[in-house]
Coordinates of all heavy atoms in Angstrom, one line a residue:
V80 N -59.1 252.7 257.0 CA -58.9 254.0 256.4 C -58.1 253.7 255.1 O -57.1 253.1 255.1 CB -58.1 254.9 257.3 CG1 -57.7 256.2 256.7 CG2 -58.8 255.1 258.6
S81 N -58.6 254.2 254.0 CA -58.0 253.9 252.7 C -57.0 255.1 252.4 O -57.2 256.2 252.9 CB -59.0 253.8 251.6 OG -59.6 255.0 251.3
Q82 N -56.0 254.8 251.6 CA -55.1 255.8 251.2 C -55.7 257.0 250.4 O -55.2 258.1 250.4 CB -53.9 255.2 250.4 CG -52.8 256.2 250.3 CD -51.5 255.5 249.7 OE1 -51.5 254.4 249.4 NE2 -50.5 256.3 249.6
S83 N -56.9 256.7 249.8 CA -57.5 257.8 249.1 C -58.1 258.9 250.0 O -58.5 259.9 249.5 CB -58.6 257.2 248.2 OG -59.6 256.7 249.0
E84 N -58.1 258.6 251.3 CA -58.7 259.6 252.3 C -57.6 260.6 252.8 O -57.9 261.5 253.5 CB -59.4 258.9 253.4 CG -60.6 258.1 253.0 CD -61.2 257.2 254.0 OE1 -60.4 256.7 254.9 OE2 -62.4 257.0 254.0
Y85 N -56.4 260.4 252.4 CA -55.3 261.3 252.9 C -54.2 261.3 251.8 O -54.0 260.4 251.0 CB -54.7 260.8 254.2 CG -54.0 259.5 254.2 CD1 -52.6 259.5 253.9 CD2 -54.7 258.3 254.4 CE1 -52.0 258.3 253.8 CE2 -54.0 257.1 254.3 CZ -52.7 257.1 254.0 OH -52.0 255.9 253.9
M86 N -53.4 262.4 251.9 CA -52.2 262.5 251.1 C -51.1 263.2 252.0 O -51.4 264.1 252.8 CB -52.4 263.5 249.9 CG -53.2 262.8 248.8 SD -53.5 263.9 247.4 CE -52.2 265.1 247.4
I87 N -49.9 262.7 251.8 CA -48.7 263.4 252.5 C -47.8 263.9 251.3 O -47.5 263.1 250.4 CB -48.0 262.4 253.3 CG1 -48.9 261.8 254.4 CG2 -46.7 263.0 253.9 CD1 -48.3 260.7 255.2
F88 N -47.5 265.2 251.4 CA -46.7 265.7 250.3 C -45.9 266.9 250.8 O -46.4 267.6 251.7 CB -47.6 266.1 249.1 CG -48.6 267.1 249.4 CD1 -48.4 268.5 249.3 CD2 -49.9 266.7 249.9 CE1 -49.4 269.4 249.6 CE2 -50.9 267.6 250.2 CZ -50.7 268.9 250.1
P89 N -44.7 267.2 250.3 CA -44.0 266.3 249.4 C -43.4 265.1 250.2 O -43.2 265.3 251.4 CB -42.9 267.2 248.9 CG -42.6 268.2 249.9 CD -44.0 268.4 250.6
N90 N -43.1 264.1 249.6 CA -42.5 262.9 250.2 C -41.7 262.2 249.1 O -42.3 261.6 248.2 CB -43.6 262.0 250.7 CG -43.0 260.9 251.6 OD1 -41.9 260.9 252.0 ND2 -43.9 260.0 252.0
P91 N -40.4 262.4 249.2 CA -39.5 262.8 250.2 C -39.6 264.3 250.5 O -40.1 265.1 249.6 CB -38.1 262.5 249.8 CG -38.2 261.8 248.5 CD -39.6 261.8 248.0
S92 N -39.2 264.7 251.7 CA -39.4 266.1 252.1 C -38.1 266.6 252.7 O -37.2 265.8 253.1 CB -40.5 266.1 253.2 OG -40.4 267.3 253.9
N93 N -37.9 267.9 252.8 CA -36.7 268.5 253.5 C -37.0 268.8 254.9 O -36.3 269.5 255.6 CB -36.3 269.7 252.7 CG -37.3 270.8 252.8 OD1 -38.4 270.7 253.3 ND2 -37.0 272.0 252.2
G94 N -38.2 268.3 255.5 CA -38.6 268.6 256.8 C -39.9 269.3 256.9 O -40.6 269.3 258.0
K95 N -40.3 269.9 255.9 CA -41.6 270.6 255.8 C -42.6 269.8 254.9 O -42.2 269.5 253.8 CB -41.5 272.0 255.3 CG -42.8 272.7 255.3 CD -42.7 274.2 254.9 CE -44.0 274.9 255.1 NZ -43.8 276.4 254.8
F96 N -43.7 269.4 255.5 CA -44.6 268.5 254.7 C -46.0 268.9 255.1 O -46.3 269.5 256.1 CB -44.3 267.1 254.9 CG -44.5 266.6 256.3 CD1 -45.6 266.0 256.8 CD2 -43.4 266.7 257.2 CE1 -45.8 265.6 258.1 CE2 -43.5 266.3 258.5 CZ -44.7 265.7 258.9
S97 N -47.0 268.4 254.2 CA -48.4 268.7 254.5 C -49.1 267.3 254.5 O -48.7 266.4 253.8 CB -49.0 269.5 253.4 OG -48.4 270.8 253.4
I98 N -50.1 267.3 255.4 CA -51.0 266.1 255.4 C -52.4 266.7 255.0 O -52.9 267.5 255.7 CB -51.1 265.5 256.8 CG1 -49.7 264.9 257.2 CG2 -52.1 264.4 256.8 CD1 -49.6 264.4 258.6
Q99 N -52.9 266.1 253.9 CA -54.3 266.6 253.5 C -55.2 265.4 253.8 O -55.1 264.3 253.3 CB -54.2 266.9 252.0 CG -55.6 267.4 251.5 CD -55.5 267.7 250.1 OE1 -54.5 267.8 249.4 NE2 -56.7 268.0 249.5
L100 N -56.2 265.7 254.6 CA -57.3 264.8 254.9 C -58.5 265.1 254.0 O -59.0 266.2 254.1 CB -57.6 264.8 256.4 CG -56.4 264.6 257.3 CD1 -56.8 264.8 258.8 CD2 -55.9 263.2 257.1
T101 N -58.9 264.2 253.2 CA -59.9 264.5 252.2 C -61.4 264.5 252.8 O -62.2 265.0 252.1 CB -59.9 263.5 251.0 OG1 -60.0 262.2 251.5 CG2 -58.5 263.7 250.4
E102 N -61.6 264.0 253.9 CA -62.9 264.0 254.5 C -62.9 264.7 255.9 O -62.0 264.5 256.7 CB -63.5 262.6 254.7 CG -63.6 261.9 253.4 CD -64.3 260.5 253.6 OE1 -65.1 260.4 254.5 OE2 -64.0 259.6 252.8
M103 N -63.9 265.5 256.1 CA -63.9 266.3 257.4 C -63.9 265.3 258.6 O -63.3 265.6 259.6 CB -65.2 267.2 257.5 CG -65.1 268.4 256.7 SD -63.7 269.5 257.1 CE -64.3 270.1 258.7
K104 N -64.6 264.2 258.5 CA -64.7 263.2 259.6 C -63.3 262.6 259.9 O -63.1 262.1 261.0 CB -65.7 262.1 259.3 CG -65.3 261.2 258.2 CD -66.3 260.2 257.9 CE -65.9 259.3 256.7 NZ -67.0 258.3 256.4
M105 N -62.3 262.8 259.1 CA -61.0 262.3 259.3 C -60.2 263.2 260.2 O -59.1 262.9 260.7 CB -60.3 262.0 258.0 CG -60.8 260.9 257.1 SD -60.4 259.3 257.8 CE -58.6 259.4 257.7
R106 N -60.6 264.4 260.3 CA -59.8 265.5 260.9 C -59.6 265.3 262.5 O -58.6 265.8 263.0 CB -60.3 266.8 260.6 CG -60.3 267.1 259.1 CD -60.8 268.5 258.8 NE -61.0 268.6 257.4 CZ -60.0 269.0 256.5 NH1 -58.8 269.2 257.0 NH2 -60.3 269.1 255.3
D107 N -60.5 264.7 263.2 CA -60.4 264.6 264.6 C -59.6 263.3 265.0 O -60.2 262.3 265.0 CB -61.7 264.6 265.3 CG -62.4 265.9 265.2 OD1 -61.7 267.0 265.2 OD2 -63.7 265.9 265.0
G108 N -58.3 263.5 265.2 CA -57.5 262.3 265.5 C -56.2 262.7 266.1 O -55.9 263.8 266.4
E109 N -55.3 261.7 266.2 CA -54.0 261.9 266.8 C -53.0 261.5 265.8 O -53.1 260.5 265.1 CB -53.8 261.0 268.0 CG -52.5 261.1 268.6 CD -52.3 260.2 269.8 OE1 -52.2 259.0 269.7 OE2 -52.4 260.7 271.0
L110 N -51.9 262.3 265.6 CA -50.8 262.1 264.7 C -49.6 261.8 265.6 O -49.3 262.6 266.5 CB -50.6 263.3 263.8 CG -49.4 263.2 262.9 CD1 -49.6 262.2 261.9 CD2 -49.1 264.6 262.3
A111 N -48.9 260.8 265.2 CA -47.6 260.5 265.9 C -46.6 260.2 264.8 O -46.9 259.6 263.8 CB -47.7 259.3 266.8
I112 N -45.3 260.6 265.0 CA -44.3 260.3 264.1 C -43.2 259.6 264.9 O -42.8 260.1 266.0 CB -43.7 261.6 263.5 CG1 -44.8 262.3 262.7 CG2 -42.6 261.3 262.5 CD1 -44.4 263.7 262.1
F113 N -42.7 258.5 264.3 CA -41.7 257.7 265.0 C -40.4 257.6 264.1 O -40.5 257.6 262.9 CB -42.2 256.2 265.2 CG -43.5 256.2 265.9 CD1 -44.7 256.2 265.3 CD2 -43.5 256.1 267.3 CE1 -45.9 256.1 266.0 CE2 -44.6 256.1 268.0 CZ -45.8 256.1 267.4
D114 N -39.2 257.6 264.8 CA -38.0 257.5 264.0 C -37.7 256.0 263.8 O -38.6 255.1 264.1 CB -36.8 258.2 264.7 CG -36.4 257.5 266.0 OD1 -36.9 256.4 266.4 OD2 -35.6 258.2 266.7
Q115 N -36.6 255.7 263.2 CA -36.3 254.3 262.8 C -36.1 253.3 264.0 O -36.2 252.1 263.9 CB -35.1 254.2 261.9 CG -35.3 254.9 260.6 CD -34.1 254.9 259.7 OE1 -32.9 254.8 260.2 NE2 -34.3 255.0 258.4
T116 N -35.9 253.9 265.2 CA -35.7 253.1 266.4 C -37.0 252.9 267.1 O -37.1 252.2 268.1 CB -34.7 253.7 267.3 OG1 -35.2 254.9 267.8 CG2 -33.3 254.0 266.7
G117 N -38.1 253.5 266.6 CA -39.4 253.4 267.3 C -39.7 254.5 268.3 O -40.7 254.5 268.9
R118 N -38.7 255.4 268.4 CA -38.9 256.5 269.4 C -39.9 257.6 268.8 O -39.8 257.9 267.6 CB -37.5 257.2 269.6 CG -37.6 258.3 270.7 CD -36.2 258.8 270.9 NE -35.5 259.4 269.7 CZ -35.5 260.7 269.4 NH1 -36.1 261.6 270.1 NH2 -34.9 261.1 268.3
T119 N -40.8 258.0 269.6 CA -41.7 259.1 269.2 C -41.0 260.4 269.1 O -40.4 260.9 270.1 CB -42.9 259.2 270.2 OG1 -43.5 257.9 270.3 CG2 -43.9 260.2 269.7
V120 N -41.0 261.0 267.9 CA -40.4 262.3 267.7 C -41.4 263.4 267.6 O -41.0 264.6 267.7 CB -39.4 262.3 266.5 CG1 -38.3 261.3 266.7 CG2 -40.2 262.0 265.2
F121 N -42.7 263.1 267.4 CA -43.7 264.1 267.4 C -45.0 263.4 267.7 O -45.3 262.3 267.3 CB -43.8 264.8 266.0 CG -44.9 265.7 265.9 CD1 -44.8 267.0 266.3 CD2 -46.1 265.3 265.3 CE1 -45.9 267.9 266.2 CE2 -47.2 266.2 265.2 CZ -47.1 267.5 265.6
Q122 N -45.9 264.1 268.5 CA -47.2 263.6 268.8 C -48.1 264.7 269.1 O -47.8 265.6 269.8 CB -47.1 262.6 270.0 CG -48.4 261.9 270.3 CD -48.2 260.7 271.2 OE1 -47.2 260.6 271.9 NE2 -49.2 259.9 271.4
S123 N -49.3 264.6 268.5 CA -50.3 265.7 268.8 C -51.7 265.0 268.7 O -52.0 264.4 267.7 CB -50.2 266.8 267.7 OG -51.3 267.7 267.9
A124 N -52.5 265.3 269.8 CA -53.9 264.8 269.8 C -54.8 265.9 269.4 O -56.0 265.7 269.4 CB -54.2 264.2 271.2
D125 N -54.3 267.1 269.2 CA -55.1 268.2 268.9 C -54.6 269.0 267.7 O -53.9 270.0 267.8 CB -55.1 269.2 270.1 CG -56.1 270.4 269.9 OD1 -57.1 270.2 269.1 OD2 -55.9 271.4 270.6
L126 N -54.9 268.4 266.5 CA -54.3 268.9 265.3 C -55.1 270.2 264.9 O -56.3 270.2 264.7 CB -54.4 267.9 264.2 CG -53.6 266.6 264.4 CD1 -53.8 265.7 263.2 CD2 -52.2 266.9 264.6
K127 N -54.3 271.3 264.8 CA -54.9 272.6 264.4 C -54.5 272.9 263.0 O -55.0 273.9 262.5 CB -54.5 273.7 265.4 CG -55.1 273.4 266.8 CD -54.9 274.6 267.7 CE -55.3 274.5 269.1 NZ -56.3 273.6 269.4
S128 N -53.6 272.2 262.4 CA -53.1 272.5 261.1 C -52.9 271.2 260.3 O -52.8 270.1 260.9 CB -51.7 273.2 261.3 OG -51.1 273.3 260.0
E129 N -52.9 271.3 259.0 CA -52.6 270.2 258.2 C -51.2 270.3 257.7 O -50.7 269.4 257.0 CB -53.6 270.2 257.0 CG -55.0 269.9 257.4 CD -56.0 270.0 256.2 OE1 -55.5 270.2 255.0 OE2 -57.2 269.9 256.4
T130 N -50.5 271.4 257.9 CA -49.2 271.6 257.5 C -48.2 271.6 258.7 O -48.5 272.3 259.7 CB -49.0 272.9 256.7 OG1 -49.9 272.9 255.6 CG2 -47.6 273.1 256.2
F131 N -47.2 270.8 258.5 CA -46.2 270.6 259.6 C -44.8 271.0 259.2 O -44.4 270.6 258.1 CB -46.3 269.2 260.1 CG -47.6 268.8 260.6 CD1 -48.5 268.2 259.7 CD2 -48.0 269.0 261.9 CE1 -49.8 267.9 260.1 CE2 -49.3 268.6 262.3 CZ -50.2 268.1 261.4
D132 N -44.1 271.8 259.9 CA -42.7 272.1 259.6 C -41.9 271.7 260.8 O -41.9 272.3 261.9 CB -42.6 273.6 259.4 CG -41.2 274.0 258.9 OD1 -40.4 273.1 258.7 OD2 -41.0 275.2 258.7
L133 N -41.4 270.5 260.8 CA -40.7 269.9 261.9 C -39.2 269.8 261.6 O -38.8 269.7 260.5 CB -41.2 268.4 262.1 CG -42.7 268.3 262.4 CD1 -43.1 266.8 262.5 CD2 -43.1 269.1 263.6
D134 N -38.4 269.9 262.7 CA -37.0 269.9 262.6 C -36.5 268.4 262.7 O -36.1 268.0 263.8 CB -36.4 270.8 263.6 CG -34.9 271.0 263.4 OD1 -34.4 270.7 262.3 OD2 -34.2 271.4 264.4
L135 N -36.6 267.7 261.7 CA -36.2 266.3 261.7 C -35.0 266.1 260.9 O -34.8 266.7 259.9 CB -37.3 265.4 261.1 CG -38.7 265.4 261.7 CD1 -39.7 264.6 260.9 CD2 -38.6 265.0 263.2
I136 N -34.1 265.3 261.4 CA -32.8 265.0 260.7 C -33.2 264.0 259.6 O -34.2 263.3 259.6 CB -31.8 264.4 261.6 CG1 -32.2 263.0 262.2 CG2 -31.4 265.4 262.7 CD1 -31.1 262.3 263.0
A137 N -32.3 264.0 258.6 CA -32.5 263.1 257.4 C -32.7 261.7 257.9 O -32.0 261.2 258.8 CB -31.3 263.2 256.4
G138 N -33.7 261.0 257.3 CA -33.9 259.6 257.6 C -35.3 259.2 257.2 O -36.1 259.9 256.5
I139 N -35.7 258.0 257.6 CA -37.0 257.5 257.3 C -37.8 257.4 258.6 O -37.4 256.9 259.6 CB -36.9 256.0 256.7 CG1 -36.1 256.1 255.4 CG2 -38.3 255.5 256.4 CD1 -35.8 254.8 254.8
Y140 N -39.0 257.9 258.5 CA -39.9 258.0 259.7 C -41.2 257.3 259.4 O -41.6 257.2 258.2 CB -40.2 259.5 260.0 CG -39.0 260.2 260.5 CD1 -38.1 260.8 259.5 CD2 -38.6 260.3 261.8 CE1 -36.9 261.4 259.9 CE2 -37.5 261.0 262.2 CZ -36.7 261.5 261.3 OH -35.5 262.2 261.7
L141 N -42.0 257.0 260.4 CA -43.3 256.4 260.3 C -44.3 257.4 260.8 O -44.2 257.7 262.0 CB -43.4 255.0 261.0 CG -44.7 254.4 260.9 CD1 -45.0 253.9 259.5 CD2 -44.8 253.2 261.9
L142 N -45.3 257.8 260.0 CA -46.4 258.6 260.5 C -47.5 257.7 260.8 O -47.8 256.8 260.0 CB -46.8 259.6 259.4 CG -46.0 260.9 259.3 CD1 -44.7 260.6 258.5 CD2 -46.8 261.9 258.5
R143 N -48.2 257.9 262.0 CA -49.3 257.1 262.3 C -50.4 258.1 262.7 O -50.3 258.9 263.6 CB -49.1 256.1 263.4 CG -50.3 255.2 263.7 CD -50.0 254.3 264.8 NE -49.9 255.0 266.1 CZ -49.2 254.7 267.1 NH1 -48.6 253.5 267.1 NH2 -49.2 255.4 268.2
Y144 N -51.6 257.9 262.0 CA -52.7 258.8 262.3 C -53.9 257.9 262.8 O -54.2 256.9 262.1 CB -53.2 259.5 261.1 CG -54.3 260.5 261.3 CD1 -54.1 261.7 261.9 CD2 -55.6 260.1 261.0 CE1 -55.2 262.6 262.1 CE2 -56.7 261.0 261.2 CZ -56.4 262.2 261.8 OH -57.5 263.0 262.0
S145 N -54.5 258.2 263.9 CA -55.5 257.4 264.5 C -56.7 258.2 264.8 O -56.6 259.3 265.4 CB -55.1 256.6 265.7 OG -54.0 255.8 265.5
N146 N -57.9 257.7 264.6 CA -59.1 258.3 265.1 C -60.2 257.2 265.3 O -59.9 256.1 265.2 CB -59.6 259.5 264.2 CG -60.1 259.0 262.8 OD1 -60.2 257.8 262.6 ND2 -60.3 259.9 261.9
E147 N -61.4 257.6 265.5 CA -62.5 256.6 265.8 C -62.8 255.8 264.6 O -63.3 254.7 264.7 CB -63.7 257.3 266.3 CG -64.5 258.2 265.3 CD -63.9 259.6 265.2 OE1 -63.0 260.0 265.9 OE2 -64.4 260.3 264.3
I148 N -62.4 256.2 263.4 CA -62.7 255.4 262.2 C -61.6 254.3 262.0 O -61.9 253.3 261.5 CB -62.7 256.4 261.0 CG1 -63.9 257.4 261.1 CG2 -62.8 255.6 259.7 CD1 -63.9 258.5 260.1
G149 N -60.4 254.6 262.3 CA -59.3 253.7 262.1 C -58.0 254.3 262.3 O -57.8 255.4 262.8
T150 N -57.0 253.5 261.8 CA -55.6 254.0 261.9 C -54.9 253.8 260.6 O -55.2 252.8 259.9 CB -54.8 253.1 263.0 OG1 -55.5 253.3 264.2 CG2 -53.4 253.5 263.1
W151 N -54.1 254.7 260.2 CA -53.3 254.5 259.0 C -51.8 254.9 259.3 O -51.6 255.7 260.2 CB -53.8 255.2 257.7 CG -54.0 256.7 257.8 CD1 -55.1 257.4 258.0 CD2 -53.0 257.7 257.7 NE1 -54.9 258.7 258.0 CE2 -53.6 259.0 257.8 CE3 -51.6 257.7 257.4 CZ2 -52.9 260.2 257.7 CZ3 -50.9 258.9 257.3 CH2 -51.6 260.1 257.5
S152 N -50.9 254.3 258.6 CA -49.5 254.5 258.7 C -48.9 254.8 257.3 O -49.4 254.2 256.3 CB -48.8 253.3 259.3 OG -49.3 253.1 260.6
E153 N -47.9 255.6 257.3 CA -47.3 256.0 256.0 C -45.8 256.3 256.3 O -45.5 256.9 257.4 CB -47.9 257.2 255.4 CG -47.4 257.6 254.1 CD -47.9 256.8 253.0 OE1 -49.0 256.2 253.1 OE2 -47.2 256.6 252.0
R154 N -45.0 255.9 255.4 CA -43.5 256.2 255.6 C -43.3 257.6 255.1 O -43.8 258.0 254.0 CB -42.8 255.2 254.8 CG -41.3 255.2 255.0 CD -40.6 254.1 254.4 NE -40.9 254.1 253.0 CZ -40.2 253.4 252.1 NH1 -39.2 252.6 252.5 NH2 -40.4 253.5 250.8
L155 N -42.5 258.3 255.8 CA -42.1 259.7 255.4 C -40.5 259.7 255.3 O -39.9 259.3 256.2 CB -42.5 260.7 256.4 CG -42.0 262.2 256.2 CD1 -42.6 262.8 254.9 CD2 -42.3 263.0 257.4
I156 N -40.0 260.2 254.2 CA -38.6 260.3 254.0 C -38.2 261.7 254.1 O -38.7 262.6 253.4 CB -38.2 259.7 252.6 CG1 -38.6 258.2 252.5 CG2 -36.7 259.9 252.4 CD1 -38.5 257.6 251.2
I157 N -37.2 262.0 255.0 CA -36.7 263.3 255.1 C -35.3 263.3 254.5 O -34.4 262.5 254.9 CB -36.6 263.8 256.6 CG1 -38.0 263.7 257.2 CG2 -35.9 265.2 256.7 CD1 -39.0 264.7 256.7
S158 N -35.1 264.1 253.5 CA -33.7 264.2 252.9 C -33.0 265.5 253.3 O -33.6 266.4 253.9 CB -33.9 264.2 251.3 OG -34.7 265.3 250.9
E159 N -31.7 265.5 253.1 CA -31.0 266.7 253.5 C -31.1 267.8 252.6 O -31.4 267.8 251.5 CB -29.5 266.3 253.6 CG -29.3 265.3 254.7 CD -27.8 265.0 254.9 OE1 -26.9 265.7 254.5 OE2 -27.5 263.9 255.5

């Protein structure tokens, strides 16, 4: 999965961010967000939205999106 197939914005974020998937075939998948210790703080296998408003404390997180095409990971920074 190439980075041109998705965008995360804004990044850094205040806790509200959007994930834009540029191809329809990318939409059926699972999103997981991990904190710096590797703990799962969010997981969804049934994405109904591209916009997420999560109550995350300031820090650096890892977003991982997986589907039948592949897996991509991106760092997300939450600022205060």
Side-chain angles (χ1 to χ4, degrees):
V80 176
S81 72
Q82 190 169 3
S83 65
E84 295 173 326
Y85 67 89
M86 285 179 29
I87 300 171
F88 57 93
N90 192 10
S92 165
N93 64 359
K95 184 175 184 174
F96 61 94
S97 296
I98 298 174
Q99 181 178 354
L100 303 171
T101 58
E102 296 187 30
M103 285 301 286
K104 65 183 179 183
M105 292 287 296
R106 296 181 191 275
D107 294 325
E109 178 179 76
L110 175 68
I112 301 175
F113 304 92
D114 66 12
Q115 292 177 339
T116 66
R118 183 175 60 97
T119 303
V120 296
F121 176 82
Q122 188 167 10
S123 177
D125 185 24
L126 299 180
K127 296 190 184 334
S128 173
E129 296 176 5
T130 303
F131 302 89
D132 188 3
L133 303 176
D134 188 18
L135 300 175
I136 62 171
I139 298 173
Y140 296 84
L141 179 70
L142 280 75
R143 185 180 67 206
Y144 183 81
S145 303
N146 67 10
E147 68 278 354
I148 297 170
T150 300
W151 58 260
S152 298
E153 184 76 29
R154 189 171 60 164
L155 174 66
I156 300 170
I157 303 294
S158 58
E159 292 184 21

